[in-house]
Amino acid sequence: MNLLKLDKATIKFGGLIAVNEVSFEINKGDLFGLIGPNGAGKTTCFNLITGVYKPTSGQISFDGRDITGTPANKIANLGIARTFQNIRLFKSMSVLENVVTAGYLRHKTSMASAFFYLPSAIKENEQLKEEAMKLLEVVDLAHVADVRSCDLAYGMQRRLEIARAMATQPQLLLLDEPAAGMNPQEKEELNAMVKKIRDHHNMTVLLIEHDMRFVMSLCEKIFVLDHGEEICFGPPEKVRNDPKVIAAYLGEAV
Ligand SMILES: Nc1ncnc2c1ncn2[C@@H]1O[C@H](COP(=O)(O)OP(=O)(O)OP(=O)(O)O)[C@@H](O)[C@H]1O
Ligand SMILES: [Mg+2]
């Protein structure tokens, strides 16, 4: 059974149809790429899936349940987590604290009881710290756990965003341009990291990426959007040679 299904998902902003009748299915364990030129509607798809926007028409289901119009916090609790194209970290917090804070979402103890140092909260905080350290190892940031996140290099901040998203233990992880601003070596490491996350952490991954080499070598299925509409879907070999895809990217650095 599919984990995520978009069925003719559409959203209009005034006169602009940002996403137009987009349908695709993602199965458990997929490494699924969403690509397309600037302004194609990729991030808007993430915003529809995560409940930031409600579709104008069409349906979205997750794990067999209709989530069309479900508020963002509920969707997060159902098991979808994301990173943002423009990095959103707690800048003055340490790397470790950033991940621990994200982990609270999943736990019973509220931030308030943690604030008042109730014994249950102290125990839970220790547990969250341990889990967070493990995630920092996955994204190769354990050695900078105590550094303020704003002092990290850009590529490291992107990896920290991934650890934060993973801290909620989602079934589906959405990554919005995770390789943006990374150098070739960082991209290669990220590529292996995302594969590892899928293989060893039981997560399905949907990622948006502009770097064609990155996305072609990582994703098994690729969905191509242009002007809010599907222009191609299939494995990398098909997408790479599709005349519509080539035409859409003319003028962009592929
Ligand atoms: N809240 C909004 N209000 C009005 N227009 C919007 C809104 N969000 C997105 N859009 C428009 O929808 C279109 C798709 O935007 P989106 O951010 O999804 O593109 P994208 O494919 O992620 O592009 P990029 O590769 O540049 O990140 C754009 O024309 C954008 O200006
Ligand atoms: Mg975008």
Side-chain angles (χ1 to χ4, degrees), residues 42-43 85 176-177 208:
K42 305 178 297 295
T43 299
Q85 187 168 356
D176 198 344
E177 300 199 24
I208 295 173

Side-chain angles (χ1 to χ4, degrees), residues 119-134:
S120 63
I122 292 170
K123 189 166 161 239
E124 193 161 68
N125 197 41
E126 284 309 309
Q127 195 188 332
L128 279 171
K129 268 191 191 165
E130 253 175 56
E131 289 172 11
M133 276 310 291
K134 281 188 196 147

Side-chain angles (χ1 to χ4, degrees), residues 32-51:
F32 194 105
L34 179 58
I35 67 170
N38 289 118
K42 305 178 297 295
T43 299
T44 306
C45 280
F46 273 21
N47 286 333
L48 288 172
I49 295 165
T50 54

Side-chain angles (χ1 to χ4, degrees), residues 94-119:
S94 74
V95 167
L96 181 66
E97 283 162 351
N98 262 282
V99 183
V100 169
T101 313
Y104 272 112
L105 244 184
R106 188 171 48 81
H107 279 254
K108 285 191 224 88
T109 308
S110 68
M111 285 287 244
S113 58
F115 183 78
F116 292 113
Y117 293 105
L118 300 180

Side-chain angles (χ1 to χ4, degrees), residues 5-246:
K5 182 175 177 188
L6 270 68
D7 185 12
K8 295 192 175 167
T10 300
I11 186 162
K12 295 180 188 166
F13 297 113
L16 176 85
I17 309 180
V19 173
N20 194 8
E21 302 211 338
V22 165
S23 302
F24 59 76
E25 290 182 21
I26 298 182
N27 294 322
K28 266 192 187 145
D30 274 351
L31 251 173
F32 194 105
L34 179 58
I35 67 170
N38 289 118
K42 305 178 297 295
T43 299
T44 306
C45 280
F46 273 21
N47 286 333
L48 288 172
I49 295 165
T50 54
V52 175
Y53 300 138
K54 188 176 174 211
T56 313
S57 62
Q59 284 194 321
I60 301 172
S61 63
F62 176 66
D63 210 11
R65 172 200 293 243
D66 186 354
I67 58 164
T68 320
T70 303
N73 62 329
K74 285 216 176 110
I75 290 180
N77 286 333
L78 289 174
I80 301 181
R82 75 181 292 183
T83 64
F84 291 90
Q85 187 168 356
N86 308 309
I87 295 173
R88 294 189 190 180
L89 295 168
F90 295 114
K91 292 191 178 71
S92 58
M93 279 189 189
S94 74
V95 167
L96 181 66
E97 283 162 351
N98 262 282
V99 183
V100 169
T101 313
Y104 272 112
L105 244 184
R106 188 171 48 81
H107 279 254
K108 285 191 224 88
T109 308
S110 68
M111 285 287 244
S113 58
F115 183 78
F116 292 113
Y117 293 105
L118 300 180
S120 63
I122 292 170
K123 189 166 161 239
E124 193 161 68
N125 197 41
E126 284 309 309
Q127 195 188 332
L128 279 171
K129 268 191 191 165
E130 253 175 56
E131 289 172 11
M133 276 310 291
K134 281 188 196 147
L135 289 177
L136 289 179
E137 276 160 28
V138 174
V139 298
D140 196 17
L141 290 175
H143 60 294
V144 287
D146 295 328
V147 173
R148 272 194 321 178
S149 72
C150 60
D151 293 331
L152 290 183
Y154 195 64
M156 288 176 144
Q157 292 193 16
R158 288 227 172 263
R159 300 209 305 267
L160 178 53
E161 276 244 311
I162 296 175
R164 268 181 63 83
M166 289 176 73
T168 63
Q169 293 190 345
Q171 286 197 72
L172 178 64
L173 186 61
L174 309 183
L175 307 176
D176 198 344
E177 300 199 24
M182 288 189 174
N183 65 39
Q185 195 198 328
E186 284 177 314
K187 282 183 186 177
E188 216 164 284
E189 286 163 7
L190 178 71
N191 202 304
M193 221 169 260
V194 176
K195 271 199 190 102
K196 216 162 91 183
I197 289 169
R198 190 272 304 266
D199 293 341
H200 302 304
H201 293 267
N202 208 20
M203 286 179 199
T204 303
V205 180
L206 167 58
L207 70 92
I208 295 173
E209 192 44 69
H210 271 294
D211 185 313
M212 287 302 141
R213 240 157 63 115
F214 183 90
V215 85
M216 297 279 170
S217 66
L218 183 63
C219 297
E220 294 133 358
K221 295 174 192 166
I222 299 171
F223 188 94
V224 193
L225 273 179
D226 190 22
H227 299 296
E229 295 184 4
E230 171 180 352
I231 56 165
C232 185
F233 170 64
E237 315 79 66
K238 176 179 172 188
V239 168
R240 187 183 285 125
N241 298 310
D242 189 291
K244 276 195 203 158
V245 178
I246 294 165

